[in-house]
mmCIF file with all atom_site columns, all heavy atoms in Angstrom:
data_model
loop_
_atom_site.group_PDB
_atom_site.id
_atom_site.type_symbol
_atom_site.label_atom_id
_atom_site.label_alt_id
_atom_site.label_comp_id
_atom_site.label_asym_id
_atom_site.label_entity_id
_atom_site.label_seq_id
_atom_site.pdbx_PDB_ins_code
_atom_site.Cartn_x
_atom_site.Cartn_y
_atom_site.Cartn_z
_atom_site.occupancy
_atom_site.B_iso_or_equiv
_atom_site.pdbx_formal_charge
_atom_site.auth_seq_id
_atom_site.auth_comp_id
_atom_site.auth_asym_id
_atom_site.auth_atom_id
_atom_site.pdbx_PDB_model_num
ATOM 1  N N   . SER R 1 49 ? 6.669  8.785  -2.461  1.00 83.00 ? 74 SER R N   1
ATOM 2  C CA  . SER R 1 49 ? 7.256  9.305  -3.727  1.00 83.00 ? 74 SER R CA  1
ATOM 3  C C   . SER R 1 49 ? 6.178  9.412  -4.862  1.00 83.00 ? 74 SER R C   1
ATOM 4  O O   . SER R 1 49 ? 6.413  9.981  -5.861  1.00 83.00 ? 74 SER R O   1
ATOM 5  C CB  . SER R 1 49 ? 8.361  8.325  -4.190  1.00 83.00 ? 74 SER R CB  1
ATOM 6  O OG  . SER R 1 49 ? 7.821  7.120  -4.693  1.00 83.00 ? 74 SER R OG  1
ATOM 7  N N   . GLY R 1 50 ? 4.979  8.836  -4.562  1.00 84.00 ? 75 GLY R N   1
ATOM 8  C CA  . GLY R 1 50 ? 3.943  8.840  -5.576  1.00 84.00 ? 75 GLY R CA  1
ATOM 9  C C   . GLY R 1 50 ? 3.990  7.656  -6.521  1.00 84.00 ? 75 GLY R C   1
ATOM 10 O O   . GLY R 1 50 ? 3.201  7.548  -7.396  1.00 84.00 ? 75 GLY R O   1
ATOM 11 N N   . GLU R 1 51 ? 4.973  6.822  -6.330  1.00 91.00 ? 76 GLU R N   1
ATOM 12 C CA  . GLU R 1 51 ? 5.137  5.602  -7.126  1.00 91.00 ? 76 GLU R CA  1
ATOM 13 C C   . GLU R 1 51 ? 4.692  4.359  -6.297  1.00 91.00 ? 76 GLU R C   1
ATOM 14 O O   . GLU R 1 51 ? 4.641  4.436  -5.103  1.00 91.00 ? 76 GLU R O   1
ATOM 15 C CB  . GLU R 1 51 ? 6.590  5.483  -7.552  1.00 91.00 ? 76 GLU R CB  1
ATOM 16 C CG  . GLU R 1 51 ? 7.141  6.625  -8.388  1.00 91.00 ? 76 GLU R CG  1
ATOM 17 C CD  . GLU R 1 51 ? 6.491  6.686  -9.746  1.00 91.00 ? 76 GLU R CD  1
ATOM 18 O OE1 . GLU R 1 51 ? 6.143  5.632  -10.324 1.00 91.00 ? 76 GLU R OE1 1
ATOM 19 O OE2 . GLU R 1 51 ? 6.337  7.838  -10.265 1.00 91.00 ? 76 GLU R OE2 1
ATOM 20 N N   . ASP R 1 52 ? 4.465  3.290  -6.975  1.00 94.00 ? 77 ASP R N   1
ATOM 21 C CA  . ASP R 1 52 ? 4.182  2.072  -6.261  1.00 94.00 ? 77 ASP R CA  1
ATOM 22 C C   . ASP R 1 52 ? 5.418  1.185  -6.148  1.00 94.00 ? 77 ASP R C   1
ATOM 23 O O   . ASP R 1 52 ? 6.160  0.970  -7.122  1.00 94.00 ? 77 ASP R O   1
ATOM 24 C CB  . ASP R 1 52 ? 2.989  1.277  -6.866  1.00 94.00 ? 77 ASP R CB  1
ATOM 25 C CG  . ASP R 1 52 ? 3.203  0.897  -8.327  1.00 94.00 ? 77 ASP R CG  1
ATOM 26 O OD1 . ASP R 1 52 ? 2.984  1.694  -9.178  1.00 94.00 ? 77 ASP R OD1 1
ATOM 27 O OD2 . ASP R 1 52 ? 3.603  -0.308 -8.491  1.00 94.00 ? 77 ASP R OD2 1
ATOM 28 N N   . TYR R 1 53 ? 5.625  0.613  -4.966  1.00 94.00 ? 78 TYR R N   1
ATOM 29 C CA  . TYR R 1 53 ? 6.821  -0.218 -4.704  1.00 94.00 ? 78 TYR R CA  1
ATOM 30 C C   . TYR R 1 53 ? 6.357  -1.423 -3.807  1.00 94.00 ? 78 TYR R C   1
ATOM 31 O O   . TYR R 1 53 ? 5.276  -1.288 -3.150  1.00 94.00 ? 78 TYR R O   1
ATOM 32 C CB  . TYR R 1 53 ? 7.914  0.554  -3.982  1.00 94.00 ? 78 TYR R CB  1
ATOM 33 C CG  . TYR R 1 53 ? 8.510  1.590  -4.838  1.00 94.00 ? 78 TYR R CG  1
ATOM 34 C CD1 . TYR R 1 53 ? 8.183  2.911  -4.727  1.00 94.00 ? 78 TYR R CD1 1
ATOM 35 C CD2 . TYR R 1 53 ? 9.477  1.235  -5.787  1.00 94.00 ? 78 TYR R CD2 1
ATOM 36 C CE1 . TYR R 1 53 ? 8.734  3.895  -5.554  1.00 94.00 ? 78 TYR R CE1 1
ATOM 37 C CE2 . TYR R 1 53 ? 10.121 2.212  -6.617  1.00 94.00 ? 78 TYR R CE2 1
ATOM 38 C CZ  . TYR R 1 53 ? 9.705  3.536  -6.477  1.00 94.00 ? 78 TYR R CZ  1
ATOM 39 O OH  . TYR R 1 53 ? 10.225 4.477  -7.294  1.00 94.00 ? 78 TYR R OH  1
ATOM 40 N N   . LEU R 1 54 ? 7.179  -2.378 -3.728  1.00 95.00 ? 79 LEU R N   1
ATOM 41 C CA  . LEU R 1 54 ? 6.886  -3.542 -2.893  1.00 95.00 ? 79 LEU R CA  1
ATOM 42 C C   . LEU R 1 54 ? 7.474  -3.325 -1.501  1.00 95.00 ? 79 LEU R C   1
ATOM 43 O O   . LEU R 1 54 ? 8.613  -2.838 -1.368  1.00 95.00 ? 79 LEU R O   1
ATOM 44 C CB  . LEU R 1 54 ? 7.526  -4.825 -3.464  1.00 95.00 ? 79 LEU R CB  1
ATOM 45 C CG  . LEU R 1 54 ? 6.920  -5.248 -4.803  1.00 95.00 ? 79 LEU R CG  1
ATOM 46 C CD1 . LEU R 1 54 ? 7.620  -6.558 -5.231  1.00 95.00 ? 79 LEU R CD1 1
ATOM 47 C CD2 . LEU R 1 54 ? 5.420  -5.481 -4.703  1.00 95.00 ? 79 LEU R CD2 1
#
Side-chain angles (χ1 to χ4, degrees):
S74 72
E76 299 292 325
D77 60 277
Y78 293 100
L79 297 180

